[in-house]
Amino acid sequence: RGMGGGMALIRQTDRRTGVVYVYEAEARWDPKRRQSRYGRRRLVGHVDPGTGEVVPNRPTRASAPSPASRRGSCGACALLDAVADESGVAAAPGRALPGTWDQVLSLAHHVVCEGSAPLSRFPRYAATHATPHGAPIASQRSSELLASIGEAERDALCDSLARRHGEGDRLSCDTTSISSYSEALAQVRRGRNKDGVPLPQINLAMLVGQDSGMPLHYRKVAGNIADVSTVRALIRDMEPSLPGRVRLVMDRGFWSATNVNAMMREHLKFLMGMPTSLRLFRDAVDAHAGELRSWKNYDPSTGLYGMRVAHGWDYEERRPRRGDVVRARRRSYVYLFFDASRAAEAERRLAALLRACASELSAGNRVEAHERHYDEYFEVVRGRPVGRDGAIAAATARAGYFAPFSNEAVGPLGALAACRDRDAVERRLGGARGLPGLRTPRVSAEGTLAGRPLVVFVALVPAAWLRRRMHESGLDGDYTLEGLLDEVEAIERHTREGHRPRVCEVTGRQRDIFDRLGYGLSATS
């Protein structure tokens, strides 16, 4: 037996077998008994009878670790997964990016759910969320992924979406911008984003299906407003995927004589909003206001008066090779409408504007934004502003009128329905596009920024589809898109090795959201 302080080896014989076991024990001196005492023992081995040496004991089997378990958020991810499956955006990246589609979808989920958080925060997001990829993506890997995305991948993605959702014969042309905080990127230009914040930005022109409300194609453009060459390039890219003739519905931001002439030259059918400041608009109202506001032109379902007015457009085409200009009279149409409620509101706004302008002129405190109103509605006589009664009366008389312009003959109600469908699509896109992550990506490399529009576009598709389903189910009256995602974000999923994942407690409000949208949320997933 070992004696003294510290660790000691103790030999003990098993009387039944005769085997001598060796233990390691801590020796302690007991002053009362004046002898060593031994504490907790640990078996070391046994003594070999032939050699007398200590044979180490076989290592015992390590105790099995407890199964790994984890709780993470799954509500928003489950909702976006269901939307992606229904809208087809889950299958589209699979064809365009067969090796990395799940990573692109995961980054798109991060953009929709996390708002303005940079992609460098994606590993933290993936650690607590059930993403399609199922694992974090390091910041360097995500940068390499974005840099690997080019025109071919974009065309394959958009082609897949167009084949699924481009059955309608009308497309809305819309524009949006993606701002960057970096000043050093060659692809960005100084401008103001949708929030009016002056930042370098990439501008995108998009074609959106009127019936589905789905973004179908996008292209980078140089300015805030896409010209007809960009629109034509979008149509040419999509033509193999779109059945029938394409008809464009555009807002008045696209209006210009150059664009109208170019679309007529390209034989594109279009319906475009017309600015109320145009001479063409004013002449149409002045000439047809009395005829328009007849009971024959009143539509009870919309509460509007509407009529179609034939118009001869002075078409011009400059031919560079011959150096001449071709002029012709092309048939076009002004769809003139009058809204009495809009007229009353416009009259109140005009009266408030005129009072503000008169006060500013009297005080000598001119406002730059009102300069054209000063010249149009007032003249200063002996230092006092005097209203131009004729101009004010004409502006009041034209209140409540609006007039889309087209080169296609349809009924007034058909033109109105196309415009309203476009406005509904714009509102849905506006709500989805308003997510901070769709506005300002924090990237600083040219290659990374080149792939960012595709991730933003992929994120915009389920966001727009979800907005549509919210409108159809009436949820848009209770939630904003961000509010709805925040409500279901709290749903957690418990995962344990060797067991199926289990969805934890779901509140009544959360269950109601999934039920009204028509998506199931099972107890296990």
Side-chain angles (χ1 to χ4, degrees):
R1 295 176 183 268
M3 302 295 292
M7 301 301 296
L9 293 178
I10 303 173
R11 298 190 181 197
Q12 185 173 353
T13 303
D14 188 332
R15 295 179 180 179
R16 293 176 300 174
T17 62
V19 177
V20 179
Y21 292 100
V22 180
Y23 297 88
E24 185 180 61
E26 182 180 1
R28 298 177 181 176
W29 178 257
D30 187 343
K32 293 183 178 180
R33 298 184 179 183
R34 301 184 62 82
Q35 60 180 346
S36 293
R37 309 294 293 178
Y38 298 99
R40 189 169 51 185
R41 302 179 182 185
R42 183 179 69 86
L43 179 64
V44 175
H46 64 279
V47 177
D48 187 332
T51 62
E53 296 181 356
V54 177
V55 180
N57 208 36
R58 288 183 301 174
T60 58
R61 180 181 299 175
S63 58
S66 59
S69 61
R70 181 168 74 95
R71 292 172 71 100
S73 175
C74 73
C77 294
L79 185 59
L80 291 176
D81 284 340
V83 169
D85 288 338
E86 185 181 39
S87 65
V89 74
R95 300 186 183 97
L97 305 159
T100 56
W101 67 270
D102 56 339
Q103 299 179 44
V104 171
L105 275 181
S106 298
L107 294 177
H109 280 198
H110 175 262
V111 169
V112 175
C113 293
E114 292 297 293
S116 59
L119 288 182
S120 60
R121 302 289 290 172
F122 177 78
R124 177 179 177 274
Y125 169 84
T128 56
H129 290 74
T131 64
H133 182 55
I137 304 175
S139 179
Q140 182 180 357
R141 299 286 83 79
S142 63
S143 297
E144 293 173 355
L145 171 64
L146 294 179
S148 68
I149 297 172
E151 297 292 317
E153 289 75 16
R154 180 207 65 181
D155 291 342
L157 171 69
C158 296
D159 179 74
S160 179
L161 290 173
R163 290 182 185 278
R164 178 162 181 151
H165 298 288
E167 296 298 329
D169 63 348
R170 288 194 181 276
L171 299 175
S172 294
C173 192
D174 193 24
T175 58
T176 189
S177 61
I178 303 177
S179 302
S180 172
Y181 287 107
S182 175
E183 298 275 0
L185 302 181
Q187 300 181 56
V188 301
R189 297 291 184 271
R190 171 64 65 171
R192 290 183 178 271
N193 63 11
K194 292 291 183 179
D195 296 328
V197 179
L199 285 173
Q201 63 188 31
I202 289 179
N203 298 288
L204 303 181
M206 291 190 301
L207 288 179
V208 183
Q210 283 276 118
D211 295 334
S212 65
M214 289 283 286
L216 302 178
H217 201 85
Y218 75 92
R219 177 178 286 271
K220 289 183 291 187
V221 296
N224 286 323
I225 299 177
D227 60 17
V228 73
S229 63
T230 301
V231 175
R232 184 61 204 170
L234 284 168
I235 298 297
R236 184 178 61 250
D237 291 343
M238 293 182 63
E239 276 179 341
S241 306
L242 295 174
R245 179 181 296 178
V246 174
R247 292 168 170 83
L248 295 175
V249 184
M250 295 174 282
D251 63 18
R252 61 186 181 181
F254 283 85
W255 177 272
S256 73
T258 301
N259 280 356
V260 171
N261 286 330
M263 281 187 284
M264 288 184 173
R265 183 176 63 250
E266 297 289 345
H267 304 289
L268 290 174
K269 296 298 183 180
F270 64 89
L271 179 67
M272 185 187 307
M274 189 162 49
T276 58
S277 59
L278 285 180
R279 178 68 178 271
L280 174 59
F281 170 82
R282 297 184 177 189
D283 289 347
V285 173
D286 294 344
H288 300 282
E291 179 186 2
L292 172 66
R293 296 174 67 175
S294 165
W295 63 270
K296 297 179 182 180
N297 295 321
Y298 179 74
D299 177 50
S301 63
T302 61
L304 303 180
Y305 296 86
M307 64 180 295
R308 185 182 69 205
V309 178
H311 174 75
W313 176 262
D314 293 326
Y315 172 77
E316 292 186 0
E317 178 184 353
R318 184 175 299 278
R319 298 188 293 188
R321 292 185 178 180
R322 297 188 179 185
D324 62 346
V325 177
V326 176
R327 293 181 174 87
R329 195 78 167 170
R330 293 285 181 89
R331 179 173 290 275
S332 57
Y333 303 91
V334 175
Y335 293 91
L336 191 61
F337 297 94
F338 175 75
D339 185 345
S341 60
R342 179 185 292 190
E345 178 61 29
E347 288 182 14
R348 288 192 292 269
R349 287 199 305 268
L350 179 61
L353 173 65
L354 294 177
R355 288 183 64 88
C357 289
S359 176
E360 292 159 5
L361 289 174
S362 298
N365 184 23
R366 299 171 72 101
V367 177
E368 183 178 358
H370 292 168
E371 285 294 338
R372 69 181 184 90
H373 302 307
Y374 299 147
D375 297 336
E376 183 176 5
Y377 298 120
F378 294 94
E379 59 180 343
V380 179
V381 179
R382 298 174 184 173
R384 298 180 59 186
V386 177
R388 302 179 187 272
D389 294 336
I392 294 174
T396 303
R398 287 190 288 268
Y401 291 88
F402 60 97
F405 182 80
S406 177
N407 62 345
E408 184 179 22
V410 297
L413 293 181
L416 179 64
C419 292
R420 289 189 165 182
D421 287 345
R422 190 210 174 279
D423 291 341
V425 170
E426 171 66 19
R427 285 193 297 271
R428 287 200 297 270
L429 282 179
R433 199 170 47 208
L435 292 171
L438 301 180
R439 295 198 296 263
T440 311
R442 289 171 169 82
V443 295
S444 57
E446 292 284 351
T448 301
L449 188 59
R452 178 69 188 211
L454 186 136
V455 173
V456 171
F457 185 77
V458 171
L460 187 58
V461 173
W465 187 272
L466 184 55
R467 288 274 297 182
R468 173 189 176 184
R469 293 299 303 271
M470 289 174 63
H471 176 71
E472 293 172 348
S473 63
L475 282 170
D476 58 347
D478 302 325
Y479 302 94
T480 62
L481 179 61
E482 300 94 320
L484 183 137
L485 291 172
D486 289 342
E487 181 68 38
V488 300
E489 176 77 7
I491 301 176
E492 291 187 326
R493 186 177 69 169
H494 180 261
T495 58
R496 186 182 181 189
E497 186 179 339
H499 297 267
R500 295 183 63 186
R502 179 177 58 85
V503 175
C504 302
E505 298 79 7
V506 180
T507 67
R509 290 169 62 91
Q510 294 166 345
R511 178 71 64 181
D512 179 65
I513 288 174
F514 278 86
D515 290 344
R516 290 171 66 179
L517 290 175
Y519 302 134
L521 183 63
S522 59
T524 59
S525 59

